[in-house]
Amino acid sequence: MSALVQAALFAAGAVVGGGVTAAVFTKRQTQRPVIAPTVDGTIVSPAVATVSPPVIGLGANGNAQISSLASATSLSSSAVLKYGNPGPIADPIVRQAYVAAYDRRLRHPAWTAEHLTLASLGKSPLVAPPDATGDRSKSTFMEDDTIPVPFRARLTDYLRSGYDRGHMVPAADAKFSQEAMNETFYLSNMAPQVGEGFNRHYWAYLEDWCRRLTGSFSDVYVFTVPLYLPRRDSDGKWRITHEVIGSPPNVSVPTHFAKVVLTSKPASPSTPNILELAMGAFVLPNAPIPDDTPLEKFVMPVEAVERAAGLALFSDAVKSTSKHICQSTKCEVIVRRFDDARKRPDMRRTISAPN
């Protein structure tokens, strides 16, 4: 399975070599200044808001920082775009527990981003937990009315589709308030996922692993990225084929999903202002995965995910100063049957539900 994913990422434009954990670029591209497009000398800006890639860079103090989510500019009149720029655009989404960009064509997030800490998860011994926390039994799936009607994912799209409404940002990452948890139930935070063996099992284990990273690192940044990867057909050619659910067909079904993490912690107790960074990417097929599959089987270079998704997740400075996450901590999921716990009241006290 890992070899197939690796080949698919290669075909999508990612050069993967020297092992799945090796760096794939010998020469990194430098950041280029943004130059406004012109038509006959007239500056042309998008007619609608455009979303910049979610680049994480290093701040003045060495802290990892997420750059501005959206870059919106006004449009000067031009002969070509007199009546507006048709796009494509991604709708910026800013919630209490996450930020995201919604893909209008695919009807699911292009990416979601979170910043997890012990405090945000209500587990810090130094920060008092909130008086009231989120309860997923009080949350309901809902359409996102901030998305224009023609481009929304609908509740009926998932009805009898055979796929789960898979959280990109888990509800368990937003327990600090009911409102924050409710916001994870917007369909703009969902993508169709295989239920048995994936969303309810291995994917949930991976989400749990991301939360557990806060026990070893002071800051944990998590990107979730739906992917569409090619596969080689019998004629030797590479093609991307994916299902679309809904009637009429409306929401695309990703072939794979990626979790990309960046962690930071003080390099030593004596140098709390000097941070040690670690990063890693995991690409999983949208299919049942046996519980005993090692997590490291799904390790892929971050650059491969970026190229396949058309995103720039991290700056060159972050990449060049980061260890691989599996060198800084154990990349191993814990098998916990969350779905069984929901069915058995006696287990709910000992096993918390994921997304």
Side-chain angles (χ1 to χ4, degrees), residues 16 19 27 46 69 79 88 105 136 145 152 167 170 173 189 196 203 217 224 263 277 286 308 311 314:
V16 180
K27 182 178 181 181
L69 172 65
R105 181 174 63 92
R136 68 172 294 130
D145 58 9
R152 283 182 200 169
H167 284 69
D173 292 1
N189 181 45
E196 187 72 21
W203 184 253
F217 302 94
T224 303
T263 63
L277 301 179
N286 190 8
L311 300 174
F314 305 111

Side-chain angles (χ1 to χ4, degrees), residues 20-344:
V20 294
T21 61
V24 297
F25 293 145
T26 57
K27 182 178 181 181
R28 302 187 186 278
Q29 295 180 338
T30 58
Q31 298 292 329
R32 298 179 179 178
V34 178
I35 302 176
T38 62
V39 176
D40 295 331
T42 302
I43 295 178
V44 179
S45 303
V48 289
T50 59
V51 177
S52 301
V55 176
I56 288 187
L58 292 180
N61 297 324
N63 295 319
Q65 296 179 343
I66 297 179
S67 62
S68 176
L69 172 65
S71 174
T73 52
S74 60
L75 175 66
S76 301
S77 60
S78 71
V80 177
L81 299 178
K82 179 179 180 180
Y83 297 103
N85 188 326
I89 68 167
D91 295 278
I93 297 173
V94 181
R95 309 291 191 198
Q96 292 187 37
Y98 64 97
V99 297
Y102 180 81
D103 191 313
R104 293 184 172 189
R105 181 174 63 92
L106 301 174
R107 313 291 200 267
H108 61 61
W111 54 266
T112 63
E114 309 171 69
H115 177 202
L116 303 179
T117 64
L118 283 175
S120 74
L121 296 176
K123 298 180 179 180
S124 173
L126 304 177
V127 180
D131 295 333
T133 58
D135 181 351
R136 68 172 294 130
S137 67
K138 298 179 180 178
S139 300
T140 58
F141 291 97
M142 51 190 169
E143 298 178 12
D144 192 339
D145 58 9
T146 68
I147 306 298
V149 173
F151 311 120
R152 283 182 200 169
R154 302 183 298 261
L155 291 169
T156 54
D157 293 330
Y158 287 85
L159 185 63
R160 291 187 290 275
S161 69
Y163 292 94
D164 284 2
R165 293 165 290 199
H167 284 69
M168 297 296 94
V169 174
D173 292 1
K175 288 184 176 181
F176 55 85
S177 77
Q178 188 62 49
E179 182 180 0
M181 180 169 285
N182 290 345
E183 289 177 342
T184 68
F185 280 80
Y186 280 116
L187 291 188
S188 57
N189 181 45
M190 306 292 161
Q193 291 186 324
V194 169
E196 187 72 21
F198 187 69
N199 178 51
R200 306 171 203 170
H201 300 113
Y202 206 94
W203 184 253
Y205 312 153
L206 178 55
E207 292 172 330
D208 175 64
W209 177 79
C210 290
R211 286 189 292 273
R212 287 190 287 109
L213 290 175
T214 59
S216 302
F217 302 94
S218 53
D219 295 277
V220 178
Y221 298 92
V222 181
F223 287 96
T224 303
V225 184
L227 292 173
Y228 293 82
L229 302 182
R231 61 182 303 170
R232 190 190 297 272
D233 286 340
S234 57
D235 61 2
K237 296 182 178 180
W238 292 85
R239 296 181 175 88
I240 296 177
T241 303
H242 67 273
E243 188 175 347
V244 183
I245 61 173
S247 182
N250 191 47
V251 181
S252 296
V253 181
T255 63
H256 296 73
F257 289 92
K259 284 283 188 188
V260 185
V261 299
L262 173 72
T263 63
S264 68
K265 65 179 180 179
S268 70
S270 60
T271 56
N273 295 327
I274 300 177
L275 297 180
E276 178 182 292
L277 301 179
M279 62 189 302
F282 305 85
V283 176
L284 283 63
N286 190 8
I289 299 174
D291 283 351
D292 59 356
T293 306
L295 178 58
E296 290 191 77
K297 183 176 182 179
F298 303 109
V299 169
M300 286 290 162
V302 170
E303 293 92 338
V305 175
E306 290 179 318
R307 288 176 61 85
L311 300 174
L313 298 174
F314 305 111
S315 69
D316 289 342
V318 167
K319 293 176 182 177
S320 64
T321 56
S322 296
K323 296 181 178 180
H324 192 274
I325 188 66
C326 295
Q327 296 175 339
S328 296
T329 190
K330 182 176 292 186
C331 288
E332 183 178 71
V333 298
I334 297 177
V335 175
R336 301 163 67 190
R337 286 285 178 164
F338 299 104
D339 56 335
D340 292 341
R342 295 193 189 111
K343 297 174 185 177
R344 292 178 52 187

